[in-house]
Amino acid sequence: MTVKPDWLRVKAPQWERVGNVKEILRDLALNTVCEEASCPNIGECFNAGTATFLIMGPACTRACPYCDIDFEKKPKALDPTEPTRLAEAVRRMQLNHVVITSVNRDDLSDGGASQFVKCIDAIHENSPQTTIEVLIPDLCGNWQALETILQAKPEVLNHNTETIPRLYRNVRPQGNYQRTLELLQRSRQISPGIYTKSGIMVGLGETATEVRQVMEDLRSVDCDILTIGQYLQPSQKHLQVSDFITPSQFADWQAFGEELGFLQVVSSPLTRSSYHAEQVRELMARYPRGDR
C-alpha cells in the first residue's frame, strides 16, 4: 500500500475507555461499523464513548470493492431482540445522539426498513432525549420502505453518494447514482422536517471538478448536510487509493459547499459519514425544522 501522508496519521486511543465501550457492545452482542468497516477514527470515537451501530449484520448482500464489511457470509434472519439490545446500549452509553446504519439486505423485501423502525422506536421509548440519525442503503428503490423509515421520525436521514457517477461501475457496481439522488429528493418531499445528509469518498481517481458537480447535484435535491473524506484501502484485495487529497483541497470543497447552501459541510481527510455526527444537534438549534 502507498505510504500515508502525515495528515492521515491518528493518535493512539486510550484503551481504557475504548475497552469500556467494547465491553458494552460485547455484552449486548452488537455490531458497529467502526469495527466491521475498519474505521480509522475508532479509537477517538470509542474513547469519547460513541459508536455507529450496524444492524442486520455483519454480513452484507453486496460486494462493494472499497468496503471492508463481510459479503461472503450468508445473511442471517433478523433478530427480534436487536432493537431492545441497541436501545439498552444507547442508555448505558448515555448517548445524546446515535447513528444507526446497516449492511445492505437485498434479500429482504423491504431492505430491512422494518428493523430500522423497530430500532428507532425502541430508542425513542427508552431514551426520548436522544436524537437519531439513520444511515440507510438504497433499499433497491423501494420508496414505500423509505417512507416507512421516515414515518418513525429520525432526526437525520443519511444516504451516501460515495463517489462520482463516472466511477460508480467500479466503486459501487450494484448502486445507481440517480437512484441515490432520488432517494434523497423523495426523503425531503415525504418528510420536509427531517434533515437529509450524504457523503462522498475521494482519492479514487475523481477530479476536483467532478466532486463539485456531485455537490451541486446534492444541493439540487435540497440535501442539508455533506461529508467528504479520504478513501483508505482496507486491504490489498480492495480498491487501491489513487490520490491522497491535501487538507487544502478539502478546505476548498468545504467553502464551496457552504456557498452552495449546505447547512453543514464536514470536509477533511479523516472525515467519515458518522464522524462527529452529534454536531447535528447544534445545527438543529440554528436551523429548526419544526414538526417532523
Side-chain angles (χ1 to χ4, degrees):
M1 295 184 189
T2 306
V3 177
K4 296 177 185 177
D6 289 341
W7 62 77
L8 283 170
R9 301 185 186 282
V10 297
K11 295 180 180 179
Q14 298 177 24
W15 287 108
E16 181 178 352
R17 186 67 180 96
V18 171
N20 183 51
V21 174
K22 282 198 171 191
E23 183 177 338
I24 293 173
L25 297 173
R26 298 296 169 268
D27 183 44
L28 296 170
L30 292 167
N31 297 306
T32 67
V33 75
C34 318
E35 296 170 292
E36 300 298 333
S38 304
C39 178
N41 302 314
I42 184 171
E44 179 180 351
C45 294
F46 276 21
N47 186 56
T50 63
T52 297
F53 295 98
L54 181 73
I55 64 174
M56 298 184 283
C60 186
T61 56
R62 298 191 188 182
C64 298
Y66 66 86
C67 184
D68 204 25
I69 290 178
D70 192 346
F71 62 87
E72 295 179 346
K73 295 179 182 177
K74 184 178 179 180
K76 297 180 180 179
L78 297 182
D79 187 338
T81 71
E82 184 175 52
T84 301
R85 290 184 283 110
L86 175 55
E88 174 61 15
V90 171
R91 186 193 68 80
R92 289 192 198 178
M93 293 170 68
Q94 299 179 322
L95 300 182
N96 291 321
H97 183 78
V98 61
V99 181
I100 309 168
T101 190
S102 77
V103 293
N104 283 279
R105 291 299 303 262
D106 296 339
D107 58 314
L108 303 174
S109 61
D110 69 349
S114 60
Q115 192 78 341
F116 269 106
V117 170
K118 290 173 183 176
C119 290
I120 294 168
D121 288 347
I123 294 170
H124 278 160
E125 181 177 353
N126 285 7
S127 304
Q129 301 306 312
T130 299
T131 50
I132 300 173
E133 174 180 325
V134 289
L135 171 54
I136 67 170
D138 63 21
L139 306 171
C140 294
N142 183 337
W143 306 131
Q144 181 57 54
L146 172 64
E147 186 168 359
T148 296
I149 293 173
L150 291 168
Q151 286 173 345
K153 296 188 175 182
E155 277 70 22
V156 181
L157 189 291
N158 187 352
H159 176 61
N160 283 336
T161 309
E162 303 294 11
T163 189
I164 61 167
R166 177 173 59 83
L167 295 177
Y168 252 62
R169 183 183 295 270
N170 293 330
V171 176
R172 201 179 186 189
Q174 293 163 284
N176 181 288
Y177 183 73
Q178 292 303 322
R179 185 166 63 198
T180 287
L181 293 177
E182 185 176 358
L183 185 153
L184 293 164
Q185 184 175 45
R186 284 178 178 268
S187 297
R188 167 64 68 244
Q189 293 168 346
I190 294 168
S191 298
I194 292 177
Y195 298 83
T196 53
K197 178 178 177 180
S198 193
I200 310 170
M201 299 178 297
V202 291
L204 286 162
E206 70 293 317
T207 67
T209 299
E210 288 175 314
V211 173
R212 285 184 170 225
Q213 183 59 60
V214 172
M215 295 169 72
E216 291 175 351
D217 290 346
L218 288 170
R219 280 302 299 142
S220 75
V221 296
D222 205 19
C223 182
D224 294 312
I225 304 167
L226 174 65
T227 59
I228 307 176
Q230 170 73 51
Y231 167 70
L232 296 175
Q233 184 181 12
S235 76
Q236 292 287 358
K237 66 181 180 180
H238 291 85
L239 288 176
Q240 293 185 352
V241 175
S242 175
D243 308 283
F244 287 115
I245 309 302
T246 64
S248 62
Q249 177 61 78
F250 281 103
D252 287 346
W253 281 325
Q254 179 165 341
F256 181 65
E258 291 168 351
E259 290 174 6
L260 288 176
F262 285 100
L263 299 184
Q264 182 183 59
V265 182
V266 184
S267 177
S268 73
L270 287 173
T271 291
R272 295 297 180 266
S273 56
S274 304
Y275 188 48
H276 291 173
E278 72 282 355
Q279 292 177 357
V280 74
R281 291 172 65 91
E282 300 173 12
L283 180 143
M284 291 166 62
R286 293 199 306 271
Y287 307 104
R289 282 281 166 78
D291 184 13
R292 293 178 291 115

